[in-house]
Amino acid sequence: MVQQLLMILGGILALISAGTLSYSYLSQTMGPREVPVSTTTNSIPSVAKKVATTTPVKTVQKSVANTTPKATPVTSTNVVPETVAVKQAVVAPGPLRAEALPVSAPASKDLSLHGVIQYTNIARAENGSLPPLVENSTLDLDAQIKLNDMFAKQYFEHVSPSGIGPADLAQAVGYAYVVVGENLALGDFGGDQGVVTAWMNSPGHRANILNAHYQEIGVAVGKGMYEGHNTWLAVQSFGMPLSACPAINAALKVTIDANNTTIASYKAQLEAKKAQIDATSTSDPSYNTFVNEFNALIPEYNNLIEVNRANVASYNLGVQTFNACIAAAAVH
């Protein structure tokens, strides 16, 4: 009896043992398994992550908004009007006629170009220690044309009967200037020193001779028939050449304009590429290509903006210096 019970109990234990092993096996072969991440499923998160770290669209847009206006150079229209307005400045006091010399006066002395220049520079040295004026052959021609025209057309004014004035003459002979001035004298003044002394005794002509802005002078003297009398005419042409003011860097302006054209092209490319990115799904294989192309262009664009900003600052400083020189010369 006991032996039969033991046999039954052993059978039950064997069944239980077999069931456990069977469950363990089934759980290993049929239970849930961890699915390995495939390269296909990884591509989308990778793109998403890349977009998160390489979408400097806001940065580029900020750069466009904040730097493009600053990269706009001062154009010639901002410089030329100021220059031209002062460049046309002319100082021309009323013509000076000599009074009749007394009978006891010594015989008339001839006038000479270099003698008039010499006494003009003596007057400048004795009145404020001003630097001497340098004879300029173009201004000599300017003065000679004026003298010949007055004899030919029988007038004694700064503006001819046909409306030609000192500014027109300077332009005609090719004298680029900031300021020009003109002194005229008619009659017998007793020589070079006499005519300069007469000019110095006339407030307007004196101011012309002592104008600190002038650097160059041209003179013409001649004797001929005027109003039926054989008499002397003398012309002084004063000038401050345009070269006296610091030159504006025209080559730099060309570079700035060329850079601005390239910047505009870059901006258009970035905007087109950004639109292409926005219209492409992140799961599209081309998406990362578009992002990379966009990001590669950003540093080129921003670097060129920085270069042009520095160029513009340098150019504008030159313009400001030039304009300051022009403005100072306008004060007589």
Side-chain angles (χ1 to χ4, degrees), residues 18-42:
T20 301
L21 291 174
S22 176
Y23 178 80
S24 297
Y25 174 79
L26 290 175
S27 68
Q28 292 177 13
T29 59
M30 299 180 64
R33 293 179 296 167
E34 183 179 350
V35 179
V37 179
S38 67
T39 56
T40 302
T41 57
N42 273 341

Side-chain angles (χ1 to χ4, degrees), residues 119-130 193 200 206 210:
Y119 284 107
T120 296
N121 283 332
I122 290 174
R124 285 173 64 86
E126 293 177 347
N127 295 271
S129 300
L130 296 172
Q193 185 175 9
M200 287 294 291
R206 177 187 180 91
L210 301 182

Side-chain angles (χ1 to χ4, degrees), residues 109-191:
K109 295 182 180 179
D110 292 346
L111 297 179
S112 67
L113 183 156
H114 292 105
V116 171
I117 293 176
Q118 176 187 355
Y119 284 107
T120 296
N121 283 332
I122 290 174
R124 285 173 64 86
E126 293 177 347
N127 295 271
S129 300
L130 296 172
L133 299 174
V134 177
E135 182 183 1
N136 180 282
S137 59
T138 303
L139 286 178
D140 282 341
L141 176 61
D142 176 287
Q144 188 64 53
I145 291 173
K146 178 65 177 181
L147 184 140
N148 294 344
D149 197 53
M150 287 191 294
F151 272 130
K153 298 177 181 176
Q154 293 292 289
Y155 72 95
F156 185 54
E157 299 290 343
H158 290 292
V159 179
S160 73
S162 56
I164 303 299
D168 303 302
L169 284 177
Q171 182 177 2
V173 297
Y175 185 74
Y177 66 91
V178 176
V179 184
V180 291
E182 187 176 81
N183 280 351
L184 303 178
L186 170 66
D188 190 350
F189 290 90

Side-chain angles (χ1 to χ4, degrees), residues 147-148 150-152 154 186-187 221-234:
L147 184 140
N148 294 344
M150 287 191 294
F151 272 130
Q154 293 292 289
L186 170 66
V221 296
K223 195 171 188 179
M225 295 300 296
Y226 184 80
E227 296 180 341
H229 301 281
N230 196 25
T231 189
W232 285 95
L233 274 176

Side-chain angles (χ1 to χ4, degrees), residues 278-291:
D278 292 341
T280 304
S281 171
T282 57
S283 61
D284 189 316
S286 300
Y287 184 83
N288 276 354
T289 300
F290 297 154
V291 169

Side-chain angles (χ1 to χ4, degrees), residues 51-70:
V51 173
T53 58
T54 59
T55 51
V57 176
K58 293 182 179 179
T59 302
V60 176
Q61 289 177 340
K62 180 179 179 182
S63 177
V64 172
N66 291 339
T67 60
T68 298
K70 293 180 182 178

